[in-house]
Amino acid sequence: MNKGKTETLLMSISGLLWLAMVGLAGAGHWLAGLYALLGLLLVYGVLGTSHKGRFDLRLVAFPSLVWLVMWAAAFWLGNHFAELYAGREPAFTIFGFHPSFAAIVVLFWIVPTLLMGFGFEAVKDRWLSQERWDEFLRRVHGTDEGEDREGRE
Amino acid sequence: MSEWAKYLILASSFSVLAISFGIGLWAKKKVTSPEAFFGGAKIFGPLTVGLATMAAVGSAFAVVGVPGLVYSTGNTILLFMFAAPGFVFGYLVIGKKVRAMAEIGTVASLGDLSDLRFNGHRGIKLILSLMLFIGCAMYLSAQVEACAKLFENLFEWNKLVISVVIFAILIAYTVLSGEIGGILTQAFQGFVIVLAGLIFAIAFFVVTGGFGPVLEAISGPQGAAAGLDPSAMTAWGSLPGAYSFAWVMLPTLGIMCQPQVLTRVMMLRDPRELPKLSIYAVSTNMITGMMVMAIGYCAIYLVANGLVEIDHPDKAVFKVADYLGLVAQLFVYPAVLAAALSTSSLFLSLAGNIVSRDLPGSLGVTFSAARQVTVSRIAMSVMGVAAIGFASVSGDMVAILGTYGFGTLAAATFPIFIVGLLWKGATGRGVMTGMLAALLATVGGVTIELLNRFGLADFAWPGGVPWYVFVMAAAVVVTIAASLLTTADTLDRRVEMAMEL
């Protein structure tokens, strides 16, 4: 399958995931809707790495996929402890937080935020190298028909 | 609170306005062209852009609305504030493509960006302009509401008079230096918010002794006596689960395409500085998150222990600051004003851009550079009046108004800038159809909400999911489906290169 078709397939999947996500939430299954959101983010993550006919799956794996896995864990743990201690005081706390919210603080907020922020800096050259940007500028500011043809080839 | 303390707080708050005005004056010399005035200057580094973005995204919605909701319904709204990884994800996925588009032609507004991607499609630009205008009014009304609460708490001044005075000063400095002054004043205002955040976070631990005592207070008999719900402290808070869903989904997907984010990326000097920008934006965002959690939790602790009474959630931030004393008040009140001003100036500039450039452009009319600036000034004034009007008729809390604006803006921009820049198969006709669906759904959604508000209807959205989620989904799904059914457009080779970067 060529790249254009793969992009179209991925975008079509994203459309279905939007429907699934909102449909699940609208039907009362909001937690399942959150997991569908993670799938949707993954699709956008893959599409965002597209460069000259290729997707950079290593760039998807880190940091985006690690982040999404953490969020999945946060949702599961958050919901598990919220249901376990529904209507009563929790048997223990973490840093003084209700255990279900502690999962959110650690795995939804602090660790993934730092991971994404510093992880992005760590993969900066893979994401956009100086050479690739310079090449883009050279071609954009000097684009003429000849270079256009060359680019298409 | 003594009278002299009130006037000292007023002076500290107005010093934020005065310094912002001064920055605007200083920045005027950097406005060397209409494009620079409207946001086409790629001259800023990651720290300035990061602080400005955080301040513009944060807004009074965060500083006033979120603590109010934390106090009244618990942790649900914190999911919105904690979704900071979505910031970085947005830059990772779409940042370099947006910045690359700014190299192709003169890009000073979102309409210019849309023109480049969709070959000057007037219909898309027209609907984008209308949707952005509606979203701006909603977002601005949240800022109006927050400023009104601030001064009501201090002096019980008339809400309408307060709103008019604040907007008059704001418009004055925004029209002076346009987006150049806008980004610099927002960076300064971001710094004020961060400073207040650090002070509040420390004050929280001093007053409460940590998160454990807050949980104990709300779970004990005194919490029940104060009418507080212990389930507020769980992961999902005390609101129905549909809100947890909406308030995770909305910032995560919506932040990628918020005008506050897109327009700032276009002003960054070098796209390879986007990762640094991310670090500045998310670390300051984390401090803001910590601040609003601390204020909300402090309010719960103080009310549960009978130390403070809060009659309206939007007053929580001020009541807590008043309890903490003059030092906290001298930082918190200016921070609220800074948050409201930073977002308002951005959205006023955006409204000015829409009316003086994008909307006429979509109708085939072009104003001269001088006329654009005049029309922009008039548009800002009209937008200020619209925002004050919306705030007074909706009667919603600051945070709820903020989410309305956030959702509407995301529905307007997602089809064009996310679907459009990630997929060459997104056609002009497809996006136009998606945008039309978004516009109709937004008008329908707002109408239903207003009818419900005035008791003229009793419509419940499926699953209790907020209306703007359906609007966003409709916009995206219709865009994709219609694009699949229509023939692909021929793209400018340079646009293709930007999309493939």
Side-chain angles (χ1 to χ4, degrees), chain B residues 13-27 169-170 172-174 176-177 180-182 184-190 192 334 337-339 341-342 345:
Chain B
S13 302
F14 269 83
S15 68
V16 170
L17 266 176
I19 295 171
S20 300
F21 197 87
I23 294 171
L25 267 180
W26 177 80
I169 297 170
L170 179 65
Y173 83 71
T174 307
L176 206 62
S177 54
I180 299 251
L184 291 172
T185 51
Q186 284 150 24
F188 159 70
Q189 289 151 1
V192 173
L337 198 57
L341 291 177
S342 57
S345 68

PDB file of all heavy atoms in Angstrom, chain B residues 13-27 169-170 172-174 176-177 180-182 184-190 192 334 337-339 341-342 345:
ATOM      1  N   SER B  13      -2.996  45.411  41.461  1.00  0.00           N
ATOM      2  CA  SER B  13      -3.663  44.853  40.272  1.00  0.00           C
ATOM      3  C   SER B  13      -3.488  45.791  39.082  1.00  0.00           C
ATOM      4  O   SER B  13      -3.168  45.352  37.972  1.00  0.00           O
ATOM      5  CB  SER B  13      -5.154  44.646  40.550  1.00  0.00           C
ATOM      6  OG  SER B  13      -5.335  43.803  41.653  1.00  0.00           O
ATOM      7  N   PHE B  14      -3.677  47.088  39.342  1.00  0.00           N
ATOM      8  CA  PHE B  14      -3.560  48.030  38.233  1.00  0.00           C
ATOM      9  C   PHE B  14      -2.111  48.218  37.773  1.00  0.00           C
ATOM     10  O   PHE B  14      -1.869  48.649  36.654  1.00  0.00           O
ATOM     11  CB  PHE B  14      -4.233  49.360  38.579  1.00  0.00           C
ATOM     12  CG  PHE B  14      -5.680  49.383  38.168  1.00  0.00           C
ATOM     13  CD1 PHE B  14      -6.651  48.826  38.991  1.00  0.00           C
ATOM     14  CD2 PHE B  14      -6.076  49.891  36.948  1.00  0.00           C
ATOM     15  CE1 PHE B  14      -7.983  48.800  38.600  1.00  0.00           C
ATOM     16  CE2 PHE B  14      -7.406  49.868  36.547  1.00  0.00           C
ATOM     17  CZ  PHE B  14      -8.368  49.321  37.383  1.00  0.00           C
ATOM     18  N   SER B  15      -1.165  47.831  38.651  1.00  0.00           N
ATOM     19  CA  SER B  15       0.233  47.906  38.209  1.00  0.00           C
ATOM     20  C   SER B  15       0.476  46.900  37.072  1.00  0.00           C
ATOM     21  O   SER B  15       1.283  47.140  36.178  1.00  0.00           O
ATOM     22  CB  SER B  15       1.190  47.651  39.379  1.00  0.00           C
ATOM     23  OG  SER B  15       1.078  46.313  39.792  1.00  0.00           O
ATOM     24  N   VAL B  16      -0.247  45.779  37.100  1.00  0.00           N
ATOM     25  CA  VAL B  16      -0.141  44.801  35.995  1.00  0.00           C
ATOM     26  C   VAL B  16      -0.629  45.451  34.701  1.00  0.00           C
ATOM     27  O   VAL B  16       0.002  45.329  33.641  1.00  0.00           O
ATOM     28  CB  VAL B  16      -0.960  43.521  36.300  1.00  0.00           C
ATOM     29  CG1 VAL B  16      -1.066  42.623  35.086  1.00  0.00           C
ATOM     30  CG2 VAL B  16      -0.347  42.770  37.462  1.00  0.00           C
ATOM     31  N   LEU B  17      -1.742  46.178  34.819  1.00  0.00           N
ATOM     32  CA  LEU B  17      -2.272  46.888  33.643  1.00  0.00           C
ATOM     33  C   LEU B  17      -1.280  47.944  33.157  1.00  0.00           C
ATOM     34  O   LEU B  17      -1.019  48.064  31.958  1.00  0.00           O
ATOM     35  CB  LEU B  17      -3.579  47.568  34.015  1.00  0.00           C
ATOM     36  CG  LEU B  17      -4.894  46.839  33.751  1.00  0.00           C
ATOM     37  CD1 LEU B  17      -6.052  47.654  34.276  1.00  0.00           C
ATOM     38  CD2 LEU B  17      -5.091  46.585  32.274  1.00  0.00           C
ATOM     39  N   ALA B  18      -0.716  48.696  34.120  1.00  0.00           N
ATOM     40  CA  ALA B  18       0.203  49.789  33.754  1.00  0.00           C
ATOM     41  C   ALA B  18       1.462  49.237  33.083  1.00  0.00           C
ATOM     42  O   ALA B  18       1.908  49.760  32.057  1.00  0.00           O
ATOM     43  CB  ALA B  18       0.565  50.582  34.999  1.00  0.00           C
ATOM     44  N   ILE B  19       2.019  48.168  33.657  1.00  0.00           N
ATOM     45  CA  ILE B  19       3.239  47.584  33.056  1.00  0.00           C
ATOM     46  C   ILE B  19       2.913  47.012  31.676  1.00  0.00           C
ATOM     47  O   ILE B  19       3.683  47.171  30.719  1.00  0.00           O
ATOM     48  CB  ILE B  19       3.848  46.513  33.989  1.00  0.00           C
ATOM     49  CG1 ILE B  19       4.337  47.174  35.281  1.00  0.00           C
ATOM     50  CG2 ILE B  19       4.995  45.771  33.307  1.00  0.00           C
ATOM     51  CD1 ILE B  19       4.768  46.208  36.368  1.00  0.00           C
ATOM     52  N   SER B  20       1.757  46.368  31.564  1.00  0.00           N
ATOM     53  CA  SER B  20       1.351  45.824  30.257  1.00  0.00           C
ATOM     54  C   SER B  20       1.236  46.952  29.235  1.00  0.00           C
ATOM     55  O   SER B  20       1.667  46.825  28.088  1.00  0.00           O
ATOM     56  CB  SER B  20       0.000  45.105  30.372  1.00  0.00           C
ATOM     57  OG  SER B  20       0.090  44.052  31.289  1.00  0.00           O
ATOM     58  N   PHE B  21       0.673  48.061  29.667  1.00  0.00           N
ATOM     59  CA  PHE B  21       0.534  49.223  28.790  1.00  0.00           C
ATOM     60  C   PHE B  21       1.922  49.726  28.366  1.00  0.00           C
ATOM     61  O   PHE B  21       2.160  50.026  27.192  1.00  0.00           O
ATOM     62  CB  PHE B  21      -0.239  50.322  29.526  1.00  0.00           C
ATOM     63  CG  PHE B  21      -0.784  51.371  28.610  1.00  0.00           C
ATOM     64  CD1 PHE B  21      -2.019  51.211  28.005  1.00  0.00           C
ATOM     65  CD2 PHE B  21      -0.062  52.525  28.347  1.00  0.00           C
ATOM     66  CE1 PHE B  21      -2.520  52.173  27.147  1.00  0.00           C
ATOM     67  CE2 PHE B  21      -0.558  53.494  27.489  1.00  0.00           C
ATOM     68  CZ  PHE B  21      -1.786  53.322  26.897  1.00  0.00           C
ATOM     69  N   GLY B  22       2.838  49.763  29.341  1.00  0.00           N
ATOM     70  CA  GLY B  22       4.210  50.204  29.051  1.00  0.00           C
ATOM     71  C   GLY B  22       4.895  49.277  28.053  1.00  0.00           C
ATOM     72  O   GLY B  22       5.573  49.745  27.129  1.00  0.00           O
ATOM     73  N   ILE B  23       4.703  47.994  28.231  1.00  0.00           N
ATOM     74  CA  ILE B  23       5.296  47.031  27.291  1.00  0.00           C
ATOM     75  C   ILE B  23       4.715  47.244  25.895  1.00  0.00           C
ATOM     76  O   ILE B  23       5.417  47.207  24.888  1.00  0.00           O
ATOM     77  CB  ILE B  23       5.068  45.580  27.778  1.00  0.00           C
ATOM     78  CG1 ILE B  23       5.844  45.326  29.075  1.00  0.00           C
ATOM     79  CG2 ILE B  23       5.488  44.571  26.710  1.00  0.00           C
ATOM     80  CD1 ILE B  23       5.530  44.007  29.753  1.00  0.00           C
ATOM     81  N   GLY B  24       3.404  47.494  25.871  1.00  0.00           N
ATOM     82  CA  GLY B  24       2.744  47.746  24.595  1.00  0.00           C
ATOM     83  C   GLY B  24       3.346  48.957  23.890  1.00  0.00           C
ATOM     84  O   GLY B  24       3.604  48.931  22.686  1.00  0.00           O
ATOM     85  N   LEU B  25       3.597  50.013  24.673  1.00  0.00           N
ATOM     86  CA  LEU B  25       4.207  51.230  24.108  1.00  0.00           C
ATOM     87  C   LEU B  25       5.595  50.938  23.562  1.00  0.00           C
ATOM     88  O   LEU B  25       5.958  51.337  22.450  1.00  0.00           O
ATOM     89  CB  LEU B  25       4.330  52.292  25.203  1.00  0.00           C
ATOM     90  CG  LEU B  25       3.213  53.302  25.355  1.00  0.00           C
ATOM     91  CD1 LEU B  25       3.538  54.263  26.484  1.00  0.00           C
ATOM     92  CD2 LEU B  25       3.007  54.089  24.069  1.00  0.00           C
ATOM     93  N   TRP B  26       6.382  50.219  24.376  1.00  0.00           N
ATOM     94  CA  TRP B  26       7.757  49.890  23.974  1.00  0.00           C
ATOM     95  C   TRP B  26       7.760  49.008  22.719  1.00  0.00           C
ATOM     96  O   TRP B  26       8.578  49.185  21.820  1.00  0.00           O
ATOM     97  CB  TRP B  26       8.463  49.167  25.136  1.00  0.00           C
ATOM     98  CG  TRP B  26       9.847  48.736  24.794  1.00  0.00           C
ATOM     99  CD1 TRP B  26      10.968  49.514  24.778  1.00  0.00           C
ATOM    100  CD2 TRP B  26      10.269  47.431  24.386  1.00  0.00           C
ATOM    101  NE1 TRP B  26      12.054  48.776  24.389  1.00  0.00           N
ATOM    102  CE2 TRP B  26      11.648  47.489  24.149  1.00  0.00           C
ATOM    103  CE3 TRP B  26       9.602  46.223  24.203  1.00  0.00           C
ATOM    104  CZ2 TRP B  26      12.389  46.381  23.734  1.00  0.00           C
ATOM    105  CZ3 TRP B  26      10.330  45.106  23.793  1.00  0.00           C
ATOM    106  CH2 TRP B  26      11.705  45.198  23.561  1.00  0.00           C
ATOM    107  N   ALA B  27       6.806  48.086  22.675  1.00  0.00           N
ATOM    108  CA  ALA B  27       6.771  47.127  21.558  1.00  0.00           C
ATOM    109  C   ALA B  27       6.338  47.783  20.248  1.00  0.00           C
ATOM    110  O   ALA B  27       6.565  47.233  19.174  1.00  0.00           O
ATOM    111  CB  ALA B  27       5.821  45.975  21.894  1.00  0.00           C
ATOM    112  N   ILE B 169      -9.238  49.734  28.711  1.00  0.00           N
ATOM    113  CA  ILE B 169      -7.777  49.790  28.901  1.00  0.00           C
ATOM    114  C   ILE B 169      -7.095  48.716  28.051  1.00  0.00           C
ATOM    115  O   ILE B 169      -6.090  48.956  27.383  1.00  0.00           O
ATOM    116  CB  ILE B 169      -7.427  49.609  30.395  1.00  0.00           C
ATOM    117  CG1 ILE B 169      -8.010  50.765  31.212  1.00  0.00           C
ATOM    118  CG2 ILE B 169      -5.917  49.535  30.595  1.00  0.00           C
ATOM    119  CD1 ILE B 169      -7.937  50.592  32.708  1.00  0.00           C
ATOM    120  N   LEU B 170      -7.691  47.552  28.075  1.00  0.00           N
ATOM    121  CA  LEU B 170      -7.135  46.422  27.321  1.00  0.00           C
ATOM    122  C   LEU B 170      -7.077  46.722  25.816  1.00  0.00           C
ATOM    123  O   LEU B 170      -6.049  46.505  25.158  1.00  0.00           O
ATOM    124  CB  LEU B 170      -8.012  45.195  27.588  1.00  0.00           C
ATOM    125  CG  LEU B 170      -7.657  43.902  26.895  1.00  0.00           C
ATOM    126  CD1 LEU B 170      -6.313  43.413  27.398  1.00  0.00           C
ATOM    127  CD2 LEU B 170      -8.718  42.855  27.183  1.00  0.00           C
ATOM    128  N   ALA B 172      -7.043  49.586  24.452  1.00  0.00           N
ATOM    129  CA  ALA B 172      -6.076  50.666  24.210  1.00  0.00           C
ATOM    130  C   ALA B 172      -4.676  50.101  23.994  1.00  0.00           C
ATOM    131  O   ALA B 172      -3.992  50.469  23.041  1.00  0.00           O
ATOM    132  CB  ALA B 172      -6.092  51.641  25.374  1.00  0.00           C
ATOM    133  N   TYR B 173      -4.235  49.191  24.854  1.00  0.00           N
ATOM    134  CA  TYR B 173      -2.855  48.725  24.655  1.00  0.00           C
ATOM    135  C   TYR B 173      -2.742  47.657  23.578  1.00  0.00           C
ATOM    136  O   TYR B 173      -1.699  47.475  22.974  1.00  0.00           O
ATOM    137  CB  TYR B 173      -2.167  48.343  25.970  1.00  0.00           C
ATOM    138  CG  TYR B 173      -2.400  46.962  26.546  1.00  0.00           C
ATOM    139  CD1 TYR B 173      -1.864  45.814  25.953  1.00  0.00           C
ATOM    140  CD2 TYR B 173      -3.088  46.811  27.727  1.00  0.00           C
ATOM    141  CE1 TYR B 173      -2.041  44.568  26.526  1.00  0.00           C
ATOM    142  CE2 TYR B 173      -3.277  45.569  28.302  1.00  0.00           C
ATOM    143  CZ  TYR B 173      -2.754  44.443  27.692  1.00  0.00           C
ATOM    144  OH  TYR B 173      -2.932  43.219  28.244  1.00  0.00           O
ATOM    145  N   THR B 174      -3.853  46.959  23.310  1.00  0.00           N
ATOM    146  CA  THR B 174      -3.797  45.950  22.247  1.00  0.00           C
ATOM    147  C   THR B 174      -3.714  46.609  20.866  1.00  0.00           C
ATOM    148  O   THR B 174      -2.962  46.152  20.011  1.00  0.00           O
ATOM    149  CB  THR B 174      -5.020  45.012  22.330  1.00  0.00           C
ATOM    150  OG1 THR B 174      -5.102  44.486  23.652  1.00  0.00           O
ATOM    151  CG2 THR B 174      -4.897  43.857  21.352  1.00  0.00           C
ATOM    152  N   LEU B 176      -2.481  49.395  20.226  1.00  0.00           N
ATOM    153  CA  LEU B 176      -1.247  50.157  20.110  1.00  0.00           C
ATOM    154  C   LEU B 176      -0.155  49.353  19.390  1.00  0.00           C
ATOM    155  O   LEU B 176       0.508  49.834  18.483  1.00  0.00           O
ATOM    156  CB  LEU B 176      -0.780  50.507  21.537  1.00  0.00           C
ATOM    157  CG  LEU B 176       0.074  51.724  21.731  1.00  0.00           C
ATOM    158  CD1 LEU B 176      -0.687  52.964  21.317  1.00  0.00           C
ATOM    159  CD2 LEU B 176       0.469  51.834  23.201  1.00  0.00           C
ATOM    160  N   SER B 177       0.015  48.136  19.806  1.00  0.00           N
ATOM    161  CA  SER B 177       1.159  47.381  19.287  1.00  0.00           C
ATOM    162  C   SER B 177       0.781  46.042  18.684  1.00  0.00           C
ATOM    163  O   SER B 177       1.656  45.266  18.298  1.00  0.00           O
ATOM    164  CB  SER B 177       2.151  47.146  20.427  1.00  0.00           C
ATOM    165  OG  SER B 177       1.483  46.546  21.501  1.00  0.00           O
ATOM    166  N   ILE B 180       2.590  41.909  18.367  1.00  0.00           N
ATOM    167  CA  ILE B 180       3.952  41.997  18.909  1.00  0.00           C
ATOM    168  C   ILE B 180       3.878  42.365  20.388  1.00  0.00           C
ATOM    169  O   ILE B 180       4.469  41.707  21.250  1.00  0.00           O
ATOM    170  CB  ILE B 180       4.769  43.077  18.155  1.00  0.00           C
ATOM    171  CG1 ILE B 180       4.878  42.706  16.691  1.00  0.00           C
ATOM    172  CG2 ILE B 180       6.114  43.304  18.828  1.00  0.00           C
ATOM    173  CD1 ILE B 180       6.192  42.277  16.199  1.00  0.00           C
ATOM    174  N   GLY B 181       3.138  43.441  20.676  1.00  0.00           N
ATOM    175  CA  GLY B 181       2.946  43.836  22.066  1.00  0.00           C
ATOM    176  C   GLY B 181       2.174  42.765  22.809  1.00  0.00           C
ATOM    177  O   GLY B 181       2.429  42.503  23.983  1.00  0.00           O
ATOM    178  N   GLY B 182       1.228  42.135  22.097  1.00  0.00           N
ATOM    179  CA  GLY B 182       0.402  41.090  22.710  1.00  0.00           C
ATOM    180  C   GLY B 182       1.246  39.972  23.287  1.00  0.00           C
ATOM    181  O   GLY B 182       1.099  39.595  24.449  1.00  0.00           O
ATOM    182  N   LEU B 184       4.430  39.942  24.037  1.00  0.00           N
ATOM    183  CA  LEU B 184       5.337  40.383  25.112  1.00  0.00           C
ATOM    184  C   LEU B 184       4.581  40.630  26.419  1.00  0.00           C
ATOM    185  O   LEU B 184       5.050  40.256  27.493  1.00  0.00           O
ATOM    186  CB  LEU B 184       6.086  41.645  24.675  1.00  0.00           C
ATOM    187  CG  LEU B 184       7.107  41.429  23.554  1.00  0.00           C
ATOM    188  CD1 LEU B 184       7.644  42.761  23.052  1.00  0.00           C
ATOM    189  CD2 LEU B 184       8.259  40.550  24.019  1.00  0.00           C
ATOM    190  N   THR B 185       3.401  41.247  26.312  1.00  0.00           N
ATOM    191  CA  THR B 185       2.619  41.471  27.542  1.00  0.00           C
ATOM    192  C   THR B 185       2.135  40.135  28.099  1.00  0.00           C
ATOM    193  O   THR B 185       2.126  39.932  29.318  1.00  0.00           O
ATOM    194  CB  THR B 185       1.398  42.390  27.295  1.00  0.00           C
ATOM    195  OG1 THR B 185       0.670  41.879  26.196  1.00  0.00           O
ATOM    196  CG2 THR B 185       1.805  43.797  27.031  1.00  0.00           C
ATOM    197  N   GLN B 186       1.793  39.208  27.206  1.00  0.00           N
ATOM    198  CA  GLN B 186       1.357  37.887  27.694  1.00  0.00           C
ATOM    199  C   GLN B 186       2.498  37.167  28.402  1.00  0.00           C
ATOM    200  O   GLN B 186       2.277  36.466  29.401  1.00  0.00           O
ATOM    201  CB  GLN B 186       0.825  37.044  26.536  1.00  0.00           C
ATOM    202  CG  GLN B 186      -0.570  37.453  26.084  1.00  0.00           C
ATOM    203  CD  GLN B 186      -0.816  37.197  24.620  1.00  0.00           C
ATOM    204  OE1 GLN B 186      -0.169  36.342  24.002  1.00  0.00           O
ATOM    205  NE2 GLN B 186      -1.744  37.928  24.033  1.00  0.00           N
ATOM    206  N   ALA B 187       3.704  37.323  27.895  1.00  0.00           N
ATOM    207  CA  ALA B 187       4.855  36.687  28.558  1.00  0.00           C
ATOM    208  C   ALA B 187       5.028  37.267  29.962  1.00  0.00           C
ATOM    209  O   ALA B 187       5.245  36.531  30.930  1.00  0.00           O
ATOM    210  CB  ALA B 187       6.116  36.887  27.726  1.00  0.00           C
ATOM    211  N   PHE B 188       4.895  38.599  30.067  1.00  0.00           N
ATOM    212  CA  PHE B 188       4.990  39.239  31.384  1.00  0.00           C
ATOM    213  C   PHE B 188       3.867  38.745  32.303  1.00  0.00           C
ATOM    214  O   PHE B 188       4.093  38.410  33.470  1.00  0.00           O
ATOM    215  CB  PHE B 188       4.922  40.769  31.223  1.00  0.00           C
ATOM    216  CG  PHE B 188       4.523  41.499  32.466  1.00  0.00           C
ATOM    217  CD1 PHE B 188       5.386  41.561  33.563  1.00  0.00           C
ATOM    218  CD2 PHE B 188       3.271  42.108  32.569  1.00  0.00           C
ATOM    219  CE1 PHE B 188       5.000  42.214  34.732  1.00  0.00           C
ATOM    220  CE2 PHE B 188       2.886  42.753  33.734  1.00  0.00           C
ATOM    221  CZ  PHE B 188       3.756  42.804  34.815  1.00  0.00           C
ATOM    222  N   GLN B 189       2.659  38.683  31.747  1.00  0.00           N
ATOM    223  CA  GLN B 189       1.515  38.244  32.552  1.00  0.00           C
ATOM    224  C   GLN B 189       1.685  36.774  32.950  1.00  0.00           C
ATOM    225  O   GLN B 189       1.299  36.379  34.054  1.00  0.00           O
ATOM    226  CB  GLN B 189       0.216  38.477  31.766  1.00  0.00           C
ATOM    227  CG  GLN B 189      -0.117  39.960  31.653  1.00  0.00           C
ATOM    228  CD  GLN B 189      -0.889  40.337  30.409  1.00  0.00           C
ATOM    229  OE1 GLN B 189      -1.215  39.485  29.589  1.00  0.00           O
ATOM    230  NE2 GLN B 189      -1.176  41.614  30.241  1.00  0.00           N
ATOM    231  N   GLY B 190       2.285  35.980  32.074  1.00  0.00           N
ATOM    232  CA  GLY B 190       2.582  34.581  32.415  1.00  0.00           C
ATOM    233  C   GLY B 190       3.526  34.505  33.603  1.00  0.00           C
ATOM    234  O   GLY B 190       3.356  33.677  34.504  1.00  0.00           O
ATOM    235  N   VAL B 192       3.810  36.725  35.973  1.00  0.00           N
ATOM    236  CA  VAL B 192       3.039  37.103  37.177  1.00  0.00           C
ATOM    237  C   VAL B 192       2.247  35.896  37.699  1.00  0.00           C
ATOM    238  O   VAL B 192       2.213  35.625  38.909  1.00  0.00           O
ATOM    239  CB  VAL B 192       2.077  38.287  36.870  1.00  0.00           C
ATOM    240  CG1 VAL B 192       1.151  38.578  38.045  1.00  0.00           C
ATOM    241  CG2 VAL B 192       2.870  39.530  36.512  1.00  0.00           C
ATOM    242  N   PRO B 334      -3.525  40.492  41.291  1.00  0.00           N
ATOM    243  CA  PRO B 334      -2.876  40.812  40.010  1.00  0.00           C
ATOM    244  C   PRO B 334      -2.769  39.603  39.080  1.00  0.00           C
ATOM    245  O   PRO B 334      -2.882  39.736  37.866  1.00  0.00           O
ATOM    246  CB  PRO B 334      -1.474  41.275  40.421  1.00  0.00           C
ATOM    247  CG  PRO B 334      -1.614  41.713  41.827  1.00  0.00           C
ATOM    248  CD  PRO B 334      -2.671  40.854  42.437  1.00  0.00           C
ATOM    249  N   LEU B 337      -5.986  39.177  37.289  1.00  0.00           N
ATOM    250  CA  LEU B 337      -6.106  40.199  36.246  1.00  0.00           C
ATOM    251  C   LEU B 337      -5.161  39.872  35.077  1.00  0.00           C
ATOM    252  O   LEU B 337      -5.543  39.994  33.905  1.00  0.00           O
ATOM    253  CB  LEU B 337      -5.772  41.575  36.840  1.00  0.00           C
ATOM    254  CG  LEU B 337      -6.249  42.777  36.052  1.00  0.00           C
ATOM    255  CD1 LEU B 337      -7.754  42.756  35.837  1.00  0.00           C
ATOM    256  CD2 LEU B 337      -5.857  44.068  36.752  1.00  0.00           C
ATOM    257  N   ALA B 338      -3.945  39.431  35.414  1.00  0.00           N
ATOM    258  CA  ALA B 338      -2.980  39.083  34.365  1.00  0.00           C
ATOM    259  C   ALA B 338      -3.512  37.947  33.499  1.00  0.00           C
ATOM    260  O   ALA B 338      -3.398  37.969  32.268  1.00  0.00           O
ATOM    261  CB  ALA B 338      -1.646  38.672  34.999  1.00  0.00           C
ATOM    262  N   ALA B 339      -4.119  36.951  34.153  1.00  0.00           N
ATOM    263  CA  ALA B 339      -4.645  35.805  33.412  1.00  0.00           C
ATOM    264  C   ALA B 339      -5.775  36.236  32.486  1.00  0.00           C
ATOM    265  O   ALA B 339      -5.844  35.821  31.319  1.00  0.00           O
ATOM    266  CB  ALA B 339      -5.138  34.742  34.392  1.00  0.00           C
ATOM    267  N   LEU B 341      -6.305  39.286  31.325  1.00  0.00           N
ATOM    268  CA  LEU B 341      -5.810  40.206  30.292  1.00  0.00           C
ATOM    269  C   LEU B 341      -5.071  39.461  29.178  1.00  0.00           C
ATOM    270  O   LEU B 341      -5.226  39.772  28.001  1.00  0.00           O
ATOM    271  CB  LEU B 341      -4.851  41.220  30.913  1.00  0.00           C
ATOM    272  CG  LEU B 341      -5.453  42.250  31.861  1.00  0.00           C
ATOM    273  CD1 LEU B 341      -4.350  43.122  32.443  1.00  0.00           C
ATOM    274  CD2 LEU B 341      -6.456  43.121  31.130  1.00  0.00           C
ATOM    275  N   SER B 342      -4.244  38.485  29.578  1.00  0.00           N
ATOM    276  CA  SER B 342      -3.420  37.801  28.575  1.00  0.00           C
ATOM    277  C   SER B 342      -4.306  37.122  27.540  1.00  0.00           C
ATOM    278  O   SER B 342      -4.079  37.226  26.336  1.00  0.00           O
ATOM    279  CB  SER B 342      -2.491  36.789  29.243  1.00  0.00           C
ATOM    280  OG  SER B 342      -3.237  35.860  29.996  1.00  0.00           O
ATOM    281  N   SER B 345      -6.406  39.829  25.477  1.00  0.00           N
ATOM    282  CA  SER B 345      -5.699  40.575  24.437  1.00  0.00           C
ATOM    283  C   SER B 345      -5.494  39.688  23.210  1.00  0.00           C
ATOM    284  O   SER B 345      -5.618  40.139  22.076  1.00  0.00           O
ATOM    285  CB  SER B 345      -4.363  41.107  24.954  1.00  0.00           C
ATOM    286  OG  SER B 345      -3.462  40.071  25.207  1.00  0.00           O
TER     287      SER B 345
END
